[in-house]
Amino acid sequence: MSKPLHLALLSACLMAAQVSAQWLTLSGSAPIGNDDLTKAREEAIRNALAKSGQGEIMVNGVLGPATELTQIGEYQLLSESISDGILEVTLRADVRAVGNQCAGAGFRFALTLPRADVVHRQHLVPGSLYEFDAALTRLLANTINGEATSLFAHERSDISVSFGQLNQDYGDQWAREMSRDDNSQYVVAISIDDLTLDPHETTLGWFEDDRNRYFGANLNIYDGLTGQMIWHKRYRTQGDWPFKRSDAVELGSSHFWNSDYGRQIRQQVVAMAQDIDGTLHCRPLHGRVLSVDQERVTINLGSRHGVRVGDRVSLQNRQQGEQGWWNRDPDSEDILVIQQVQLEQAVGTLMPGSSYTRWQPMDMVRAQAHRR
């Protein structure tokens, strides 16, 4: 199978840029919803091709970073497999780099994932799914941390909040505070409003236990620097509910997650993780200054964010206050060369000519194009 890809991965202005071609081996996956294998294959191929400009890819048999925006010439589907309702594909693509770096290429963003909000708690009664919100949060965090190429999750199922009420009472302040307290750049809020179950039907006077159960949720991504919502999507699915009326379902068991309803939920979670990853992967990585000791500056970005010894990051003279981020000196910017890296911290030295007195804790760090 070989055909041109009619998928616009670049704006028209980038299409005219000078390109260089190379064949890459890429892999991708997508949930199979409603037994629609054709649609799942298209989504899996899109997922694979999207990785040509992020994360790590196989170039002529060698694994290396993908740091440039690309356009696709042709692709060949090499193989596909199905496991637990997820279609995985491997393909070979003619990828042409256009030379413009993606702002966040090679870096990983931290996001806070608080406990999902169940709007109608009475929907949890059938099956005694009272910990479903925590289980879904953990599943999404594990999926992101295992599969995402440009982000990782701080799973905070211990934080149980009503996001609608927070937005009403505190505006964008709650997201900024949660991001700052959890050392993350984004906050992902999930609000579940449908876990209803079809009513019982009878056959020859007996109740039939197998019924459809539904799942409906809204997912919002908030920018932790501004507190503003930057992305939204609604997810819906349904599946056969095989449990008896009196069953208290164990959410930690494979019996639940391997049921038809459990598989449908897992497919939605995979779709959520892929959507979040695809939405954020090309954004610049931001962080904060933790401490300043003359020319030595400690920041809250580390190896988990993709920061390495020798990297260069920009310091920007901005601080976060009650009204969001504000500029103290909009023309100030110095370069920090990273010398030591820990998991979620790094220490760097300001380049010669930088101001050693201008920088303070909570100033903003922008790791964008200054890679070594």
Side-chain angles (χ1 to χ4, degrees):
M1 173 181 175
S2 179
K3 59 181 179 180
L5 175 68
H6 303 292
L7 176 64
L9 296 181
L10 291 176
S11 62
C13 63
L14 289 179
M15 284 295 190
Q18 183 177 2
V19 299
S20 58
Q22 57 186 339
W23 283 90
L24 308 180
T25 301
L26 305 169
S27 62
S29 62
I32 305 173
N34 300 318
D35 296 324
D36 192 340
L37 186 60
T38 300
K39 183 177 179 180
R41 183 180 294 110
E42 292 175 354
E43 290 300 319
I45 291 173
R46 287 176 182 269
N47 175 245
L49 293 172
K51 295 178 182 179
S52 65
Q54 56 176 294
E56 290 189 322
I57 52 178
M58 194 73 70
V59 182
N60 299 324
V62 179
L63 189 65
T67 58
E68 296 180 312
L69 292 177
T70 56
Q71 70 181 86
I72 308 296
E74 294 182 323
Y75 71 89
Q76 298 171 339
L77 184 61
L78 301 179
S79 65
E80 61 181 51
S81 61
I82 299 174
S83 177
D84 293 331
I86 305 296
L87 176 66
E88 296 185 1
V89 301
T90 300
L91 50 89
R92 189 168 175 262
D94 175 16
V95 179
R96 305 178 181 188
V98 298
N100 286 50
Q101 281 197 326
C102 176
F107 294 112
R108 292 167 64 87
F109 312 96
L111 59 86
T112 293
L113 190 60
R115 189 173 182 139
D117 176 35
V118 178
V119 178
H120 308 290
R121 299 292 297 182
Q122 65 270 25
H123 289 183
L124 300 173
V125 174
S128 300
L129 302 183
Y130 302 114
E131 291 296 312
F132 180 80
D133 44 5
L136 185 79
T137 303
R138 286 192 295 270
L139 179 60
L140 178 56
N142 291 338
T143 303
I144 289 172
N145 290 333
E147 302 294 335
T149 60
S150 59
L151 52 94
F152 62 92
H154 292 149
E155 185 265 314
R156 297 302 306 272
S157 57
D158 58 312
I159 302 178
S160 182
V161 293
S162 171
F163 303 111
Q165 192 65 41
L166 285 175
N167 287 328
Q168 180 178 334
D169 294 343
Y170 300 102
D172 58 20
Q173 182 180 350
W174 72 270
R176 290 192 283 114
E177 290 185 356
M178 185 175 292
S179 171
R180 183 184 61 221
D181 294 344
D182 209 37
N183 193 27
S184 62
Q185 187 169 339
Y186 299 98
V187 177
V188 173
I190 301 174
S191 179
I192 303 170
D193 58 18
D194 188 6
L195 292 170
T196 55
L197 187 61
D198 279 342
H200 272 295
E201 296 183 358
T202 59
T203 302
L204 299 177
W206 293 90
F207 281 119
E208 294 289 336
D209 287 316
D210 287 358
R211 297 173 286 169
N212 272 337
R213 190 163 191 166
Y214 301 89
F215 173 81
N218 293 296
L219 187 148
N220 298 334
I221 302 178
Y222 294 87
D223 187 328
L225 297 179
T226 65
Q228 297 178 349
M229 186 179 73
I230 59 174
W231 191 80
H232 165 83
K233 185 173 180 180
R234 180 159 180 81
Y235 298 84
R236 290 194 61 85
T237 191
Q238 65 186 62
D240 178 63
W241 181 256
F243 304 101
K244 298 182 183 300
R245 300 178 65 188
S246 58
D247 284 347
V249 178
E250 176 54 58
L251 288 172
S253 70
S254 59
H255 184 47
F256 169 75
W257 293 108
N258 288 334
S259 69
D260 182 62
Y261 183 71
R263 287 197 302 269
Q264 297 300 325
I265 298 297
R266 285 193 288 125
Q267 290 173 11
Q268 292 301 305
V269 168
V270 169
M272 289 178 182
Q274 292 177 347
D275 288 341
I276 297 170
D277 197 26
T279 299
L280 300 179
H281 86 273
C282 223
R283 291 174 173 264
L285 175 66
H286 287 135
R288 300 177 179 90
V289 171
L290 297 178
S291 65
V292 180
D293 180 10
Q294 295 185 345
E295 76 277 7
R296 289 171 60 85
V297 178
T298 302
I299 62 176
N300 68 343
L301 303 174
S303 59
R304 201 174 184 191
H305 300 86
V307 174
R308 300 167 297 178
V309 172
D311 281 349
R312 301 180 180 186
V313 300
S314 299
L315 297 184
Q316 295 179 316
N317 218 202
R318 302 173 69 187
Q319 282 201 331
Q320 189 175 28
E322 291 300 319
Q323 302 303 318
W325 283 89
W326 51 277
N327 290 336
R328 291 206 312 271
D329 181 0
D331 296 324
S332 66
E333 178 175 298
D334 286 334
I335 302 302
L336 186 70
V337 182
I338 301 302
Q339 307 293 337
Q340 302 173 22
V341 177
Q342 300 177 16
L343 189 63
E344 293 193 27
Q345 287 188 20
V347 179
T349 303
L350 289 166
M351 294 189 67
S354 301
S355 170
Y356 298 162
T357 60
R358 181 163 49 201
W359 307 110
Q360 300 179 17
M362 294 304 295
D363 280 346
M364 192 173 74
V365 176
R366 180 183 176 96
Q368 185 179 6
H370 299 290
R371 300 311 298 262
R372 58 180 176 178

